[in-house]
Short mmCIF file of all heavy atoms in Angstrom, two decimals:
data_model
loop_
_atom_site.label_atom_id
_atom_site.label_comp_id
_atom_site.label_asym_id
_atom_site.label_seq_id
_atom_site.Cartn_x
_atom_site.Cartn_y
_atom_site.Cartn_z
N LEU A 1385 -60.71 -31.78 -2.42
CA LEU A 1385 -61.09 -31.29 -1.10
C LEU A 1385 -59.96 -31.62 -0.13
O LEU A 1385 -59.44 -32.74 -0.16
CB LEU A 1385 -62.35 -31.98 -0.60
CG LEU A 1385 -63.61 -31.81 -1.41
CD1 LEU A 1385 -64.37 -33.10 -1.51
CD2 LEU A 1385 -64.46 -30.76 -0.76
N ALA A 1386 -59.63 -30.66 0.73
CA ALA A 1386 -58.60 -30.91 1.73
C ALA A 1386 -58.98 -30.22 3.04
O ALA A 1386 -59.53 -29.12 3.03
CB ALA A 1386 -57.25 -30.39 1.25
N GLY A 1387 -58.67 -30.88 4.13
CA GLY A 1387 -58.89 -30.27 5.44
C GLY A 1387 -57.92 -29.13 5.68
O GLY A 1387 -58.18 -28.23 6.46
N GLY A 1388 -56.80 -29.15 4.96
CA GLY A 1388 -55.78 -28.11 5.07
C GLY A 1388 -55.61 -27.37 3.76
O GLY A 1388 -56.59 -27.01 3.10
N ASN A 1389 -54.36 -27.19 3.36
CA ASN A 1389 -54.03 -26.46 2.14
C ASN A 1389 -54.04 -27.37 0.93
O ASN A 1389 -53.88 -28.58 1.05
CB ASN A 1389 -52.63 -25.85 2.28
CG ASN A 1389 -52.51 -24.95 3.49
OD1 ASN A 1389 -53.27 -24.01 3.65
ND2 ASN A 1389 -51.57 -25.25 4.36
N ILE A 1390 -54.19 -26.76 -0.25
CA ILE A 1390 -54.15 -27.49 -1.51
C ILE A 1390 -53.05 -26.88 -2.38
O ILE A 1390 -53.04 -25.68 -2.61
CB ILE A 1390 -55.50 -27.42 -2.26
CG1 ILE A 1390 -56.60 -28.10 -1.44
CG2 ILE A 1390 -55.38 -28.05 -3.65
CD1 ILE A 1390 -57.99 -27.97 -2.03
N TYR A 1391 -52.13 -27.75 -2.82
CA TYR A 1391 -51.05 -27.34 -3.72
C TYR A 1391 -51.18 -28.16 -5.00
O TYR A 1391 -51.11 -29.39 -4.93
CB TYR A 1391 -49.68 -27.59 -3.08
CG TYR A 1391 -49.53 -26.96 -1.72
CD1 TYR A 1391 -49.71 -27.71 -0.56
CD2 TYR A 1391 -49.21 -25.61 -1.59
CE1 TYR A 1391 -49.58 -27.13 0.69
CE2 TYR A 1391 -49.08 -25.03 -0.34
CZ TYR A 1391 -49.26 -25.79 0.80
OH TYR A 1391 -49.12 -25.21 2.04
N ILE A 1392 -51.37 -27.51 -6.13
CA ILE A 1392 -51.55 -28.20 -7.40
C ILE A 1392 -50.41 -27.82 -8.34
O ILE A 1392 -50.27 -26.66 -8.71
CB ILE A 1392 -52.91 -27.86 -8.03
CG1 ILE A 1392 -54.04 -28.28 -7.09
CG2 ILE A 1392 -53.04 -28.52 -9.41
CD1 ILE A 1392 -55.41 -27.80 -7.51
N MET A 1393 -49.61 -28.81 -8.69
CA MET A 1393 -48.53 -28.61 -9.66
C MET A 1393 -49.12 -28.98 -11.02
O MET A 1393 -48.88 -30.06 -11.55
CB MET A 1393 -47.33 -29.49 -9.32
CG MET A 1393 -46.72 -29.21 -7.96
SD MET A 1393 -46.14 -27.53 -7.77
CE MET A 1393 -44.83 -27.51 -8.96
N GLY A 1394 -49.94 -28.09 -11.53
CA GLY A 1394 -50.66 -28.29 -12.77
C GLY A 1394 -51.76 -27.25 -12.86
O GLY A 1394 -51.75 -26.25 -12.15
N ALA A 1395 -52.72 -27.52 -13.73
CA ALA A 1395 -53.82 -26.57 -13.96
C ALA A 1395 -55.02 -26.90 -13.07
O ALA A 1395 -55.44 -28.05 -13.00
CB ALA A 1395 -54.24 -26.60 -15.42
N LEU A 1396 -55.55 -25.89 -12.41
CA LEU A 1396 -56.78 -26.02 -11.66
C LEU A 1396 -57.89 -25.42 -12.50
O LEU A 1396 -58.00 -24.20 -12.64
CB LEU A 1396 -56.69 -25.30 -10.32
CG LEU A 1396 -58.00 -25.18 -9.52
CD1 LEU A 1396 -58.63 -26.55 -9.28
CD2 LEU A 1396 -57.77 -24.45 -8.22
N LYS A 1397 -58.71 -26.30 -13.11
CA LYS A 1397 -59.82 -25.86 -13.95
C LYS A 1397 -61.16 -26.28 -13.37
O LYS A 1397 -62.20 -25.92 -13.88
CB LYS A 1397 -59.68 -26.43 -15.35
CG LYS A 1397 -58.42 -26.00 -16.06
CD LYS A 1397 -58.32 -26.66 -17.42
CE LYS A 1397 -57.01 -26.33 -18.10
NZ LYS A 1397 -56.88 -27.04 -19.38
N GLY A 1398 -61.13 -27.06 -12.29
CA GLY A 1398 -62.35 -27.56 -11.66
C GLY A 1398 -62.63 -26.84 -10.36
O GLY A 1398 -62.48 -25.62 -10.26
N ILE A 1399 -62.99 -27.60 -9.33
CA ILE A 1399 -63.36 -27.05 -8.03
C ILE A 1399 -62.31 -27.47 -7.01
O ILE A 1399 -61.90 -28.62 -6.96
CB ILE A 1399 -64.75 -27.58 -7.58
CG1 ILE A 1399 -65.82 -27.12 -8.57
CG2 ILE A 1399 -65.07 -27.11 -6.17
CD1 ILE A 1399 -67.17 -27.78 -8.35
N ALA A 1400 -61.89 -26.51 -6.18
CA ALA A 1400 -60.97 -26.78 -5.08
C ALA A 1400 -61.57 -26.23 -3.80
O ALA A 1400 -62.02 -25.09 -3.77
CB ALA A 1400 -59.61 -26.16 -5.34
N HIS A 1401 -61.60 -27.08 -2.75
CA HIS A 1401 -62.13 -26.66 -1.45
C HIS A 1401 -61.07 -26.97 -0.40
O HIS A 1401 -60.87 -28.12 -0.03
CB HIS A 1401 -63.44 -27.39 -1.14
CG HIS A 1401 -64.12 -26.89 0.10
ND1 HIS A 1401 -65.33 -27.36 0.50
CD2 HIS A 1401 -63.78 -25.96 1.02
CE1 HIS A 1401 -65.70 -26.75 1.62
NE2 HIS A 1401 -64.76 -25.88 1.95
N ALA A 1402 -60.39 -25.93 0.08
CA ALA A 1402 -59.37 -26.07 1.12
C ALA A 1402 -59.97 -25.68 2.47
O ALA A 1402 -60.88 -24.86 2.54
CB ALA A 1402 -58.17 -25.18 0.81
N GLY A 1403 -59.45 -26.28 3.53
CA GLY A 1403 -59.93 -25.96 4.87
C GLY A 1403 -61.39 -26.30 5.08
O GLY A 1403 -62.10 -25.56 5.75
N TYR A 1404 -61.84 -27.43 4.53
CA TYR A 1404 -63.27 -27.76 4.59
C TYR A 1404 -63.79 -27.95 6.01
O TYR A 1404 -64.98 -27.86 6.25
CB TYR A 1404 -63.62 -28.96 3.71
CG TYR A 1404 -63.03 -30.29 4.12
CD1 TYR A 1404 -63.47 -30.97 5.24
CD2 TYR A 1404 -62.04 -30.88 3.35
CE1 TYR A 1404 -62.93 -32.19 5.60
CE2 TYR A 1404 -61.50 -32.11 3.69
CZ TYR A 1404 -61.95 -32.75 4.82
OH TYR A 1404 -61.41 -33.96 5.17
N ALA A 1405 -62.89 -28.14 6.97
CA ALA A 1405 -63.33 -28.28 8.37
C ALA A 1405 -63.46 -26.92 9.06
O ALA A 1405 -63.75 -26.86 10.24
CB ALA A 1405 -62.34 -29.17 9.13
N GLY A 1406 -63.26 -25.83 8.31
CA GLY A 1406 -63.47 -24.50 8.86
C GLY A 1406 -62.22 -23.65 9.01
O GLY A 1406 -62.25 -22.62 9.66
N SER A 1407 -61.11 -24.05 8.40
CA SER A 1407 -59.86 -23.31 8.52
C SER A 1407 -59.80 -22.15 7.52
O SER A 1407 -59.53 -22.34 6.34
CB SER A 1407 -58.66 -24.23 8.30
OG SER A 1407 -57.47 -23.49 8.31
N ASN A 1408 -60.03 -20.93 8.01
CA ASN A 1408 -59.96 -19.74 7.15
C ASN A 1408 -58.54 -19.43 6.71
O ASN A 1408 -58.34 -18.66 5.78
CB ASN A 1408 -60.52 -18.51 7.88
CG ASN A 1408 -62.02 -18.50 7.91
OD1 ASN A 1408 -62.68 -18.99 7.00
ND2 ASN A 1408 -62.58 -17.96 8.98
N SER A 1409 -57.55 -19.99 7.37
CA SER A 1409 -56.15 -19.70 7.01
C SER A 1409 -55.63 -20.64 5.92
O SER A 1409 -54.49 -20.49 5.48
CB SER A 1409 -55.26 -19.80 8.24
OG SER A 1409 -55.26 -21.13 8.74
N ALA A 1410 -56.45 -21.56 5.45
CA ALA A 1410 -56.04 -22.48 4.37
C ALA A 1410 -55.84 -21.70 3.08
O ALA A 1410 -56.43 -20.63 2.88
CB ALA A 1410 -57.08 -23.58 4.17
N VAL A 1411 -54.98 -22.25 2.21
CA VAL A 1411 -54.70 -21.61 0.92
C VAL A 1411 -54.82 -22.65 -0.19
O VAL A 1411 -54.74 -23.85 0.05
CB VAL A 1411 -53.30 -20.96 0.87
CG1 VAL A 1411 -53.18 -19.84 1.88
CG2 VAL A 1411 -52.21 -21.99 1.07
N ILE A 1412 -55.01 -22.13 -1.40
CA ILE A 1412 -55.03 -22.96 -2.61
C ILE A 1412 -53.97 -22.39 -3.53
O ILE A 1412 -53.97 -21.19 -3.82
CB ILE A 1412 -56.41 -22.93 -3.29
CG1 ILE A 1412 -57.49 -23.45 -2.34
CG2 ILE A 1412 -56.37 -23.74 -4.60
CD1 ILE A 1412 -58.91 -23.21 -2.83
N VAL A 1413 -53.05 -23.25 -3.98
CA VAL A 1413 -51.96 -22.83 -4.86
C VAL A 1413 -52.03 -23.69 -6.11
O VAL A 1413 -52.26 -24.89 -6.04
CB VAL A 1413 -50.59 -23.03 -4.16
CG1 VAL A 1413 -49.45 -22.69 -5.11
CG2 VAL A 1413 -50.51 -22.21 -2.89
N ALA A 1414 -51.85 -23.06 -7.27
CA ALA A 1414 -51.85 -23.81 -8.53
C ALA A 1414 -50.87 -23.18 -9.51
O ALA A 1414 -50.66 -21.96 -9.51
CB ALA A 1414 -53.24 -23.84 -9.14
#
Side-chain angles (χ1 to χ4, degrees):
L1385 299 139
N1389 303 304
I1390 296 175
Y1391 306 99
I1392 300 171
M1393 300 300 295
L1396 171 56
K1397 299 177 184 177
I1399 298 171
H1401 187 176
Y1404 66 71
S1407 175
N1408 283 329
S1409 64
V1411 297
I1412 300 169
V1413 176

